[in-house]
Amino acid sequence: MTRVLVQRPGFLDDLLALDAKAVKQVLAKYTMLETAPEPDAKTKVKLDGRTDGLHRMRSGDYRIFYTYDDEKISLWGVRRKTVKGEYRGRKGGDVTYDGIDEVEDDDLDLDIPDLAPKKTFDDWVQPVDEQTPLPEAITIELLQALDVPPAFHARLTSIDSQDDLFECPGVPEEHLLAIDRHMFEEPIDLRSDEPELVSPGGVDDLLRYAEGELVGFLLRLNPEQEKFVTWAATANGPTLVKGGPGTGKSTVAIYRTREMISALRAAGVEEPRILFTTYTNALVTSSGQLLRSLLGDDALCVEVRTADSLVGSILGKAGMNKSRPNASKREVIRTATLEAVGGTGNALQQAARARTIERLGRRYLFEEIETVIQARGLSTVDEYLDAPRPGRRVSLNATQRQAVWAAAEAYAAALDGAGLQTWEQARATAAALAAAGETSVPSYDAVIVDEAQDLDASALRLLVEVCAEPNRLFVTADVNQSIHAAGFSWQAVHQDLRFVGRTGILKANHRSTREITEAARDHLACGVTEDLAPDEQTYVHTGGPFPAVRPLADAEEEADLVARYLKGATKDQRLTIGSGAVLVPDKFVGQPLVRALEERGIPAEYKVSRDFELSDNYVTVLPLTSAKGLEFPVVAITGFSRSNWPHLDGLDGDAEAEALVKARRTLFVGMTRAMRALLVVTPSSDDSMLFDGFDPRLWNTA
């Protein structure tokens, strides 16, 4: 029987903490496990008194900890044997215990029990009177041994507690955790929830990683994911893979890229050109790293970028790229648009337009113009009169649509006069250039579209057009996570987007615990079940604490609770404070919250753009709408009592219901960014149905 070898991130951390000689010694045993992981009563033994099947293998003075089943061997960690009850993973193995003799492994095995029951939200938020002191001082010599750059030495040598270490701002997490592992032995059990990673090059990749030549590894595919890597690859149309948050859609897309290259070369395309699109620049960076790890030199065949960067490139080459209006400029242009449209036409037409605009409201009107007319590239009033509007609950008759069209024309003229264009206009223009075969538009042998639910119709149409053949288009999506796009029909976007017989569904969630995801799914569907029906899911991580929801109105109490929660939850999981994130409605809440957290000893930074990147050990505070595609072990969602989000003022009836559906989807995305711990703080006096649906059977509501 041949099993695949996978590594948990903790094993890779331990490997980096060893010197070069020890790395080679440990890896010499690595491949032996592939065919013979079973206990042999000498080199390999099963640890007694445990429920997780943990085994230990000798490798000189080191011990490799692993589990195995019929499909895989999973490496958990490496420890150097020292004294009874301790396996140490200190760099270089340079710890000595004078006067204490070594003991046999059988005795040591008895001293690695299962962990105590996991803590819950109520434990995390309890005030902590005493800090955990470091067992030894942080010295320059120690930092040099751990390869911590000199730029961080001054701030680290002044730290004398584990709490201050985890909360030290401005130092990358990898260095803080290396110091922590030196000071305190990390329980092996904490690695049971870590993902399993694959090194395509086996031992060679691990050596390259230990020597700093390889950035990272790919997530291991389970059988469900493996199926969709090659599924329908030779069909006569595009393939769609759907799945909820954490099901590995992006990982499948990365492996599908390798399959595309292989299929294209088999078809005679010697140098395939593939476009891989994802939603944010941060995801472009991480996807590019993983593709290079998987593909090696073949990564040169793949162009990784966002759809909007492709739009900007096409328009730039065509000399048609204009600036996008910022929020304040957009509002000025909208005001001018309403003034202009109000004075055109005869009195009857003016009255009809005024009634329509009053009925829809300013915000809904321009949302209709941008997401329906501009985003779909509708060029005539007749096209708009005939256009379906899935996801738009407010019905519009012909007269009302004509009024909206008049406003759309005035809006387009005002933007053009200011030398500006919305992103929706830019995407539609690029898609039109692609459909016309303009030379400024590149062509790709295959296109991979990750997270397609957040692309508007024109962006999707563009990606279809730049793909040489429909059957070389691979799309992943989860419509229940959609924030930026209203509901739509794939076929209505482009005639080549027909997925009948070529739609697969991923069901196993690898990211968040069952407790977090099921609570989020239940809240998503509450009250609007006819629109939101998440697919069934199974879970890799179960048994975590219930997510918590607490109603609060006072900003100080809110900041206190969030600060205690972030400290308690991250420390309990042996994570730095930078592993936490706080999602808020907008910057008007987020920026004051950053200051409040700083006052409570929590280093924090506010982030907003799609150019999001993690900072060095700061809690990330960011808008809910910027959280798409990100994940954090610990998440708090808060700030609603000081914001009018989701901006329901002036909306009623179907328009209000539509906005609530969108807001509930947004909350669902935010909730499912949490991997291990989630807190939602709701307004204590708000009666909006948005904050209904926290079932006490799924949420900690005490």
Side-chain angles (χ1 to χ4, degrees):
M1 178 186 298
T2 300
R3 301 176 174 91
V4 63
L5 276 166
V6 299
Q7 304 87 35
R8 296 177 187 266
F11 172 84
L12 298 172
D13 290 339
D14 289 346
L15 201 64
L16 290 178
L18 305 179
D19 59 25
K21 180 180 177 182
V23 168
K24 293 179 180 178
Q25 176 183 308
V26 167
L27 294 184
K29 301 284 187 178
Y30 179 86
T31 53
M32 291 177 55
L33 289 173
E34 187 172 6
T35 55
E38 297 84 2
D40 58 13
K42 185 178 179 181
T43 303
K44 294 165 287 185
V45 299
K46 184 178 185 297
L47 303 189
D48 294 331
R50 297 183 62 89
T51 58
D52 54 15
L54 194 65
H55 288 63
R56 181 263 301 146
M57 181 181 187
R58 291 175 183 260
S59 177
D61 289 337
Y62 293 90
R63 303 296 180 263
I64 302 171
F65 292 90
Y66 67 96
T67 56
Y68 73 94
D69 55 31
D70 290 342
E71 297 179 357
K72 67 179 186 301
I73 298 101
S74 179
L75 302 175
W76 288 40
V78 179
R79 295 289 189 268
R80 188 175 73 84
K81 184 166 77 78
T82 57
V83 299
K84 184 175 181 179
E86 293 194 40
Y87 284 108
R88 304 294 294 186
R90 300 187 181 200
K91 186 175 181 65
D94 55 358
V95 182
T96 60
Y97 293 84
D98 295 335
I100 301 179
D101 296 329
E102 296 277 2
V103 296
E104 295 300 317
D105 284 329
D106 288 344
D107 294 326
L108 282 164
D109 293 341
L110 299 176
D111 294 314
I112 308 180
D114 277 336
L115 281 180
K118 294 182 179 179
K119 294 183 178 180
T120 68
F121 172 81
D122 300 294
D123 299 311
W124 295 332
V125 297
Q126 293 302 313
V128 178
D129 297 326
E130 297 183 3
Q131 294 191 329
T132 304
L134 298 180
E136 61 182 89
I138 298 177
T139 64
I140 298 296
E141 292 73 21
L142 172 63
L143 296 177
Q144 290 172 338
L146 295 177
D147 294 329
V148 177
F152 305 125
H153 288 187
R155 73 188 72 177
L156 290 170
T157 51
S158 64
I159 290 173
D160 58 11
S161 73
Q162 186 185 40
D163 307 71
D164 289 339
L165 179 67
F166 283 157
E167 296 165 18
C168 180
V171 179
E173 180 181 79
E174 61 192 86
H175 301 313
L176 299 177
L177 293 179
I179 297 169
D180 179 67
R181 285 193 298 272
H182 173 87
M183 297 289 180
F184 304 95
E185 193 62 22
E186 179 187 29
I188 286 286
D189 307 64
L190 288 179
R191 297 180 178 176
S192 64
D193 283 338
E194 292 184 345
E196 293 175 333
L197 308 174
V198 177
S199 51
V203 172
D204 289 342
D205 274 359
L206 287 169
L207 282 170
R208 290 173 58 209
Y209 180 76
E211 293 169 358
E213 297 179 3
L214 187 65
V215 174
F217 298 93
L218 292 158
L219 285 171
R220 172 181 175 264
L221 293 175
N222 61 25
E224 178 188 58
Q225 294 166 330
E226 285 181 343
K227 168 187 174 182
F228 293 117
V229 169
T230 58
W231 184 66
T234 59
N236 60 0
T239 303
L240 170 66
V241 172
K242 296 166 37 179
T247 53
K249 299 184 297 298
S250 298
T251 301
V252 171
I254 287 170
Y255 278 92
R256 181 75 170 211
T257 306
R258 181 175 65 178
E259 182 67 20
M260 288 277 195
I261 292 174
S262 176
L264 286 166
R265 286 200 170 127
V269 183
E270 293 184 5
E271 296 297 330
R273 190 180 184 201
I274 295 177
L275 174 65
F276 186 104
T277 71
T278 190
Y279 186 62
T280 66
N281 287 330
L283 292 175
V284 165
T285 300
S286 61
S287 298
Q289 291 172 347
L290 293 175
L291 284 164
R292 288 191 292 274
S293 177
L294 177 66
L295 301 176
D297 291 342
D298 280 349
L300 295 174
C301 300
V302 185
E303 186 177 325
V304 186
R305 66 193 311 174
T306 64
D308 280 348
S309 75
L310 177 62
V311 168
S313 174
I314 291 170
L315 296 184
K317 290 179 181 178
M320 302 173 66
N321 200 20
K322 301 178 183 179
S323 299
R324 319 294 172 237
N326 59 30
S328 60
K329 185 64 175 176
R330 186 172 59 243
E331 289 308 309
V332 169
I333 291 174
R334 288 179 173 182
T335 298
T337 296
L338 294 178
E339 291 174 353
V341 77
T344 60
N346 58 41
L348 189 60
Q349 291 172 324
Q350 291 179 23
R353 290 170 188 165
R355 286 195 300 271
T356 297
I357 292 171
E358 182 179 2
R359 174 183 178 238
L360 295 179
R362 177 189 178 107
R363 187 159 59 89
Y364 194 91
L365 170 67
F366 285 101
E367 193 176 79
E368 174 80 8
I369 292 171
E370 291 178 350
T371 64
V372 177
I373 295 174
Q374 292 182 351
R376 299 182 193 179
L378 304 182
S379 57
T380 68
V381 67
D382 289 336
E383 287 180 341
Y384 180 49
L385 289 172
D386 293 336
R389 301 167 60 250
R392 303 292 283 173
R393 287 171 172 257
V394 178
S395 61
L396 297 174
N397 59 33
T399 300
Q400 291 165 334
R401 290 200 189 201
Q402 287 171 338
V404 172
W405 183 261
E409 289 187 313
Y411 188 37
L415 286 163
D416 186 59
L420 301 170
Q421 62 186 173
T422 64
W423 269 114
E424 291 80 7
Q425 287 177 308
R427 295 169 192 139
T429 302
L433 291 174
E438 293 292 332
T439 57
S440 64
V441 181
S443 177
Y444 299 91
D445 298 302
V447 175
I448 310 287
V449 185
D450 192 25
E451 304 286 6
Q453 74 277 351
D454 283 322
L455 300 177
D456 66 25
S458 291
L460 286 168
R461 192 176 300 117
L462 169 64
L463 296 175
V464 173
E465 293 289 352
V466 299
C467 187
E469 300 290 342
N471 65 343
R472 298 176 186 172
L473 179 69
F474 181 82
V475 177
T476 75
D478 176 14
V479 295
N480 290 317
Q481 292 189 66
S482 176
I483 296 176
H484 301 285
F488 60 85
S489 161
W490 295 105
Q491 227 172 285
V493 172
H494 195 285
Q495 62 182 2
D496 286 341
L497 280 178
R498 299 172 184 267
F499 296 113
V500 177
R502 297 181 302 277
T503 299
I505 300 175
L506 291 167
K507 296 182 179 180
N509 185 319
H510 295 260
R511 181 172 66 211
S512 304
T513 64
R514 179 191 59 177
E515 288 72 19
I516 289 174
T517 308
E518 285 298 317
R521 281 156 56 92
D522 186 72
H523 180 268
L524 172 69
C526 179
V528 284
T529 53
E530 72 277 11
D531 290 307
L532 306 172
D535 296 316
E536 290 296 322
Q537 284 195 299
T538 59
Y539 299 95
V540 173
H541 305 295
T542 61
F546 282 175
V549 57
R550 294 291 186 273
L552 291 174
D554 182 77
E556 293 298 310
E557 290 181 5
E558 197 170 327
D560 285 340
L561 179 65
V562 170
R564 293 199 309 272
Y565 161 73
L566 291 171
K567 284 185 177 182
T570 53
K571 182 178 180 181
D572 180 48
Q573 297 173 71
R574 293 287 291 272
L575 299 169
T576 66
I577 198 69
S579 299
V582 183
L583 309 182
V584 295
D586 50 49
K587 67 179 181 181
F588 303 107
V589 174
Q591 291 171 344
L593 181 58
V594 165
R595 294 190 290 272
L597 291 175
E598 292 274 5
E599 291 170 358
R600 289 160 175 79
I602 302 291
E605 283 191 345
Y606 183 77
K607 299 285 186 179
V608 63
S609 74
R610 286 168 48 174
D611 297 328
F612 171 83
E613 291 184 8
L614 291 172
S615 298
D616 293 336
N617 204 38
Y618 289 86
V619 167
T620 302
V621 181
L622 71 162
L624 275 163
T625 51
S626 294
K628 183 72 190 78
L630 304 175
E631 58 183 38
F632 304 90
V634 176
V635 170
I637 303 177
T638 189
F640 301 111
S641 63
R642 298 180 306 286
S643 169
N644 66 346
W645 187 86
H647 311 294
L648 301 179
D649 297 344
L651 299 179
D652 55 22
D654 288 339
E656 181 181 24
E658 182 180 327
L660 282 170
V661 168
K662 183 176 180 180
R664 199 169 283 270
R665 281 198 181 105
T666 304
L667 271 181
F668 175 72
V669 171
M671 292 172 182
T672 54
R673 301 309 93 196
M675 300 165 67
R676 300 293 177 266
L678 172 64
L679 165 66
V680 179
V681 180
T682 63
S684 60
S685 59
D686 197 297
D687 59 358
S688 169
M689 68 171 290
L690 178 61
F691 301 109
D692 290 340
F694 292 100
D695 189 334
R697 293 171 296 181
L698 299 173
W699 292 83
N700 178 331
T701 60

